[in-house]
Amino acid sequence: MRIDKFLWCVRYFKTRGLAAEAIKKGHVSVNGQTAKASREVYPADKIILRKDQINYEMLILDLPLNRVGAKLIDIYRKDTTPAEAFAHLEMLKLTKEYYRAKGTGRPTKKDRRDLEDYVSDEDFYGEIG
């Protein structure tokens, strides 16, 4: 089975076109080698897929005939992605929540006061006196 079709069948991508595009960009490797969309995959192949700033690692157990339901995915692949990758994603989400949304205008007085509380007076204004 082609790798783009496999990634689509096990629901890593919504369409085969998106899977092929990710493969073309070099986000997918099979057994340590960068893959092409037409690369054939077999059971016991190890796939590393970069998606949403996470390197998903999986081992192919079997090849599906068609796209499978979400509950049946684990029959065809074993997910070996380390837990640290998901922890890194959570940290990225938390850092993005802190920053102001683009286009929300000038910082408010409260924002300035919070910044002044965070940074000491000497760091903020330079040496005083």
Side-chain angles (χ1 to χ4, degrees), residues 3-110:
I3 183 133
D4 60 343
K5 186 173 181 179
F6 177 79
L7 292 174
W8 170 74
C9 285
V10 293
R11 297 183 171 269
Y12 276 94
F13 292 99
K14 202 169 193 174
T15 65
R16 261 181 86 177
L18 290 175
E21 185 178 329
I23 294 167
K24 187 184 284 187
K25 289 180 180 178
H27 295 277
V28 179
S29 64
V30 179
N31 297 328
Q33 297 177 341
T34 304
K36 291 185 178 180
S38 62
R39 169 116 164 36
E40 292 288 322
V41 292
Y42 303 99
D45 281 348
K46 184 177 180 183
I47 298 175
I48 298 175
L49 165 69
R50 176 112 175 129
K51 182 179 176 193
D52 298 330
Q53 297 184 352
I54 295 180
N55 286 331
Y56 292 96
E57 298 176 15
M58 68 186 96
L59 181 69
I60 299 176
L61 301 176
D62 197 9
L63 299 176
L65 297 175
N66 293 323
R67 187 169 167 101
V68 295
K71 293 181 180 179
L72 303 176
I73 290 173
D74 291 330
I75 296 171
Y76 300 102
R77 60 104 174 123
K78 180 180 179 187
D79 190 9
T80 58
T81 306
E84 296 87 35
F86 296 109
H88 177 69
L89 182 65
E90 287 297 319
M91 289 299 292
L92 285 174
K93 285 182 182 177
L94 291 175
T95 58
K96 287 181 182 177
E97 288 176 4
Y98 174 73
Y99 293 107
R100 297 170 52 84
K102 186 174 182 178
T104 56
R106 294 175 46 172
T108 62
K109 284 184 180 180
K110 182 181 183 323

Side-chain angles (χ1 to χ4, degrees), residues 100-124:
R100 297 170 52 84
K102 186 174 182 178
T104 56
R106 294 175 46 172
T108 62
K109 284 184 180 180
K110 182 181 183 323
D111 293 336
R112 180 183 52 82
R113 290 180 187 127
D114 289 342
L115 184 62
E116 286 176 353
D117 289 341
Y118 180 73
V119 179
S120 69
D121 289 337
E122 291 175 9
D123 292 339
F124 193 72

